[in-house]
Amino acid sequence: MQIKLYTLPVFGSEGIEEEMNRFLRGHRILQVERHFCPDSGGYWAILIEYVDGDPIAEATPANRRDRKDFTEGLTEEEKVRFERYKAIRKELANRNSMPAYLIFTNEELALLAKMPELREDNTRQVKGIAPQRLRDYVRYFYVETDGETGGQPHAEDSEFGKPA
């Protein structure tokens, strides 16, 4: 860890501000402390703790999470379903103000995408998905089958997940 100290006068500090912002953009910042000092017309004392380089990018694979491509091994049709399920999950997450992975992880969406059709009986067999999450969310992934490709997610037509 290293530190950098800036003093910014209340008036006429544009050049120092620009320099400080350039420094902040170029380093990984750990913490910033700022204090206003009323002496000599007033100024801000800003202490920045930082590290050089990007420790995450420089970490060995054992120390960082490698992203797995869960679409690997899916057919084109399954990839389309997977992407549609991700969009539905994102909408649900935004609507409920929660992280998307709490609804279903990418791995779970890939397992669901491998199923030609989502129904109550086959979604209950998906390993790793808790029954409560199935009850709460899988109904939004059901699709109207009217002979057309695709279809619309529907929740209203299913008793699965509705309060008893």
Side-chain angles (χ1 to χ4, degrees), residues 1 6 14 17 22-23 27 31 35 41 49 53 99 110 113 118 139 142:
M1 176 183 75
Y6 285 96
E14 293 81 19
E17 287 175 22
R22 214 176 9 259
F23 178 84
H27 294 84
Q31 183 175 340
H35 299 283
E49 295 179 15
L118 296 183
R139 66 178 182 233
Y142 291 158

Side-chain angles (χ1 to χ4, degrees), residues 1-107:
M1 176 183 75
Q2 298 179 0
I3 61 169
K4 179 89 171 167
L5 179 65
Y6 285 96
T7 54
L8 299 170
V10 173
F11 300 105
S13 63
E14 293 81 19
I16 300 170
E17 287 175 22
E18 195 174 306
E19 178 191 334
M20 183 178 70
N21 286 329
R22 214 176 9 259
F23 178 84
L24 291 168
R25 283 190 300 270
H27 294 84
R28 183 163 182 259
I29 306 304
L30 301 175
Q31 183 175 340
V32 176
E33 290 183 35
R34 59 189 173 178
H35 299 283
F36 183 74
C37 303
D39 304 338
S40 304
Y43 64 93
W44 286 96
I46 301 174
L47 177 69
I48 302 169
E49 295 179 15
Y50 69 99
V51 292
D52 279 328
D54 185 356
I56 294 173
E58 295 168 6
T60 61
N63 294 337
R64 69 172 187 231
R65 234 182 335 169
D66 289 329
R67 297 198 182 262
K68 181 177 179 188
D69 181 11
F70 290 103
T71 61
E72 193 174 299
L74 295 180
T75 66
E76 287 306 312
E77 183 180 333
E78 291 167 346
K79 287 179 183 178
V80 168
R81 274 198 299 269
F82 177 79
E83 292 302 321
R84 188 176 68 222
Y85 292 167
K86 279 180 60 175
I88 294 168
R89 176 184 68 178
K90 181 178 181 182
E91 182 180 328
L92 282 171
N94 289 340
R95 199 180 314 158
N96 293 303
S97 300
M98 61 191 298
Y101 66 85
L102 290 180
I103 294 173
F104 294 119
T105 64
N106 285 343
E107 183 176 16

Side-chain angles (χ1 to χ4, degrees), residues 115-155:
M115 298 178 173
E117 180 183 334
L118 296 183
R119 300 182 317 271
E120 281 186 54
D121 60 334
N122 68 357
T123 55
R124 290 180 185 190
Q125 308 307 314
V126 177
K127 184 178 180 180
I129 302 178
Q132 182 66 42
R133 283 192 299 138
L134 282 174
R135 279 192 299 279
D136 291 345
Y137 302 115
V138 81
R139 66 178 182 233
Y140 296 102
F141 296 81
Y142 291 158
V143 174
E144 295 284 347
T145 53
D146 57 0
E148 300 289 324
T149 57
Q152 296 299 314
H154 67 91

